[in-house]
Amino acid sequence: MESPELYIEALVFASEQSIRVEEIMYCLQASFERDFSIDEVTESLANIKDKYTNENLAIELVYLNNGYQFLTKKNYHPVISLLQLQRSKKKLSQAALETLAIIAYKQPVTKTDVEQIRGVNCDYSIQKLLEKELIAINGKSEALGKPILYGTSPLFMDYFGINTIEELPHIKELTDNSTSIGEQQE
């Protein structure tokens, strides 16, 4: 085997989520019974990334959530949005979106904490978010009864195109001051 690039490209393509360099190295080493250096793998990834900068290709290699993934280039997003609208049956409900937002911003958080913020039972929403793998169980709280702690999953990071939770918009960025009454003082 001369260059691992085609194998790495196949691994990234076959991965449903972003794939880390360590995972790529493990797969290559197990398959070819030889050591692969991080430099060798990252150089191959850089070559693959360069290969997909071609204007005639609709996808690109993107570093996301501490790994690599093939994604559609931004100029094709409008047509992809139409496909996603067509498949909107799988869309999250308003309740699930609210629950997901609370978990994302307050994690690690218990179901009781989420319910106190929302003011309603969240069993169904949390179950759906777990099924869709947008949240994950992050252990148990030290509180009475040791309730389960929830947090966002790697799929959440992939879905929203972020590497860390710190990249989520701050609440101040999301508020619209145009509907406020009176003058604001600084």
Side-chain angles (χ1 to χ4, degrees):
M1 181 176 105
E2 294 175 13
S3 170
E5 279 180 35
L6 291 176
Y7 295 96
I8 293 171
E9 188 174 346
L11 286 168
V12 174
F13 178 76
S15 180
E16 292 179 15
Q17 300 172 3
S18 60
I19 184 170
R20 296 185 333 269
V21 171
E22 297 81 11
E23 292 174 300
I24 293 170
M25 289 176 60
Y26 171 80
C27 293
L28 292 175
Q29 289 169 354
S31 296
F32 298 102
E33 298 176 354
R34 83 164 179 89
D35 287 338
F36 288 84
S37 69
I38 289 179
D39 291 340
E40 188 176 7
V41 172
T42 53
E43 182 182 333
S44 293
L45 285 163
N47 291 339
I48 294 166
K49 187 174 178 84
D50 287 344
K51 173 181 169 181
Y52 282 90
T53 58
N54 183 332
E55 291 178 14
N56 295 320
L57 298 174
I59 60 173
E60 62 185 338
L61 182 64
V62 177
Y63 182 76
L64 189 66
N65 193 25
N66 300 315
Y68 291 87
Q69 186 174 16
F70 282 117
L71 296 177
T72 309
K73 291 180 180 174
K74 291 194 185 322
N75 50 329
Y76 298 102
H77 286 188
V79 74
I80 300 302
S81 295
L82 291 174
L83 174 65
Q84 290 175 339
L85 278 174
Q86 185 182 27
R87 295 182 176 176
S88 63
K89 294 178 208 166
K90 298 178 182 177
K91 206 161 87 169
L92 292 174
S93 66
Q94 185 66 33
L97 282 172
E98 290 172 7
T99 303
L100 181 59
I102 292 166
I103 292 170
Y105 282 97
K106 298 283 187 182
Q107 66 183 308
V109 64
T110 65
K111 182 175 79 72
T112 304
D113 294 336
V114 175
E115 290 174 342
Q116 285 177 341
I117 293 169
R118 287 202 62 235
V120 295
N121 184 301
C122 295
D123 288 339
Y124 183 77
S125 294
I126 287 177
Q127 185 60 39
K128 285 297 170 192
L129 293 170
L130 283 167
E131 286 174 13
K132 292 179 184 290
E133 298 179 10
L134 291 171
I135 63 170
I137 295 173
N138 288 354
K140 293 193 175 212
S141 171
E142 292 300 318
L144 185 64
K146 300 218 182 253
I148 294 172
L149 291 170
Y150 297 97
T152 55
S153 69
L155 184 62
F156 172 88
M157 304 290 214
D158 288 349
Y159 186 83
F160 288 96
I162 59 175
N163 284 308
T164 66
I165 289 300
E166 288 75 36
E167 292 179 30
L168 283 173
H170 297 284
I171 301 297
K172 291 176 187 173
E173 295 171 14
L174 300 174
T175 57
D176 180 10
N177 292 333
S178 65
T179 57
S180 61
I181 299 173
E183 294 181 23
Q184 289 189 1
Q185 297 178 344
E186 292 183 25

